[in-house]
Amino acid sequence: MSDTFDYSSLFLSPASPVPLLVSCAAAAARGGKKRRAGKMQACARAAGEGLPLVRAPARQPLAQRLPSLHETNRVVSCSARVSENISHKIEASMDHILPASQDHVVKAIEAINGGQVIAVPTDTIYGFACDACSAEAVNRIYEIKGRIHTRPLAICVADVPEISRFAVVDHLPHGLLHSLLPGPVTVVLKRGENSILERSLNPGLDSIGVRVPKLDFIRSIARGAGSALALTSANLSGRPSSVSVKDFGYLWPHCSYVFDGGILPSGRAGSTIVDLITPGVYRILRDGSSREETMAVLGKFGFVEAS
């Protein structure tokens, strides 16, 4: 897999005299002292009287060349390869990097309802989110991540009672889900025939992972959108999870908005994933950030770990 990005337009205006001056300085260096001085003066006149000669900047690592979060009103034209077969030409505006505050919930909801992908903080790591009932938006997430479609996506809902709209919960003891959620846990349940989820989400699977993060911002988005959010980590498939928006800066242009919640304190472990499909039995599918706490809650409700 390859991913190439051209951020040169962030740091060099097309109208800038710098390329001309650099080229001329290089040419002058090949001549004698008099020729050098003459050509340098000619370059200065060509670029504009009184402008200083500028040397080509040393090449910096990508992380140092990424734009500041405080830069606004700049437009970036990026040609981004997100998988071996998919290339996108994208216009991304730096004013689409916004604080993850209640002031910007409406913008996030509008983007979700418009079939767009956004990047959001959760109570564990940063994630890409979209309308779980939009096949086009869900497919876009797979393209951004370079993720194979056989790997399922989880969903995020605003409140625990909402889970019954998307998955079967009748077999669970009263109060169990409220004891686990909201929190850094993904519960895997059977979808059921009455689930309102589109079959295009995780086709061929009769189960679904559900999250209710302990973070008001993303829950407010899900509540306002009136649907479940498809949710997955904000990174290229196989890369480390993101605890800061800078960790996935190379993917910003693929998102309608990136909502900055600062550096997340829970580390890169993600949520604990637990299979609760079988009555009275649980299976930890991923340790995540709260394995011990999850097992303790399940033990109180008489659940045993699958052998």
Side-chain angles (χ1 to χ4, degrees):
M1 179 183 301
S2 65
D3 43 275
T4 57
F5 302 87
D6 179 11
Y7 279 94
S8 59
S9 59
L10 275 176
F11 309 100
L12 195 61
S13 166
S16 171
V18 173
L20 177 61
L21 294 175
V22 171
S23 175
C24 292
R30 293 193 293 267
K33 192 170 184 180
K34 285 187 176 181
R35 288 174 57 200
R36 182 181 302 117
K39 289 189 178 182
M40 296 283 272
Q41 291 170 3
C43 289
R45 286 194 299 272
E49 292 295 328
L51 289 175
L53 292 170
V54 182
R55 293 187 179 184
R59 188 169 182 83
Q60 296 175 306
L62 177 60
Q64 295 179 20
R65 289 183 283 126
L66 287 174
S68 164
L69 297 186
H70 300 293
E71 291 183 276
T72 58
N73 300 323
R74 273 182 170 175
V75 175
V76 190
S77 179
C78 299
S79 180
R81 185 174 299 277
V82 295
S83 75
E84 291 297 335
N85 302 314
I86 302 168
S87 183
H88 299 280
K89 187 73 172 179
I90 295 164
E91 291 286 324
S93 175
M94 292 307 298
D95 59 6
H96 285 186
I97 315 298
L98 301 172
S101 66
Q102 293 298 313
D103 293 339
H104 297 113
V105 166
V106 172
K107 286 183 180 292
I109 293 170
E110 289 173 348
I112 292 293
N113 289 340
Q116 301 298 311
V117 173
I118 62 174
V120 291
T122 72
D123 52 355
T124 53
I125 58 179
Y126 277 85
F128 292 133
C130 72
D131 182 356
C133 292
S134 168
E136 183 177 352
V138 168
N139 187 60
R140 180 88 175 103
I141 281 185
Y142 278 100
E143 291 181 355
I144 293 171
K145 288 179 63 69
R147 183 184 178 112
I148 58 175
H149 283 70
T150 54
R151 296 191 63 188
L153 300 181
I155 62 170
C156 165
V157 298
D159 301 287
V160 173
E162 290 284 292
I163 297 176
S164 61
R165 297 175 61 201
F166 306 96
V168 176
V169 299
D170 297 342
H171 63 295
L172 298 177
H174 178 72
L176 173 61
L177 290 178
H178 281 280
S179 297
L180 291 172
L181 302 167
V185 181
T186 300
V187 294
V188 177
L189 299 164
K190 197 169 183 179
R191 279 169 88 135
E193 294 300 321
N194 296 325
S195 173
I196 67 172
L197 283 177
E198 290 286 338
R199 288 296 170 182
S200 58
L201 180 71
N202 307 337
L205 291 180
D206 63 356
S207 61
I208 186 69
V210 187
R211 287 220 61 199
V212 184
K214 195 173 185 179
L215 189 72
D216 287 342
F217 182 71
I218 188 171
R219 293 175 66 193
S220 295
I221 297 170
R223 189 176 296 117
S227 180
L229 306 179
L231 184 66
T232 186
S233 57
N235 56 356
L236 285 178
S237 188
R239 298 281 185 90
S241 301
S242 301
V243 295
S244 159
V245 295
K246 290 184 179 180
D247 289 343
F248 61 98
Y250 54 96
L251 295 177
W252 290 353
H254 297 284
C255 301
S256 177
Y257 291 103
V258 174
F259 294 99
D260 185 3
I263 298 176
L264 305 183
S266 62
R268 301 180 189 273
S271 63
T272 296
I273 303 178
V274 57
D275 183 331
L276 297 179
I277 292 175
T278 304
V281 177
Y282 71 90
R283 186 189 304 273
I284 300 293
L285 303 181
R286 183 176 73 189
D287 287 348
S289 58
S290 64
R291 176 188 174 98
E292 298 304 320
E293 295 87 342
T294 299
M295 292 175 64
V297 170
L298 292 168
K300 290 179 181 179
F301 282 85
F303 274 65
V304 297
E305 187 170 8
S307 56

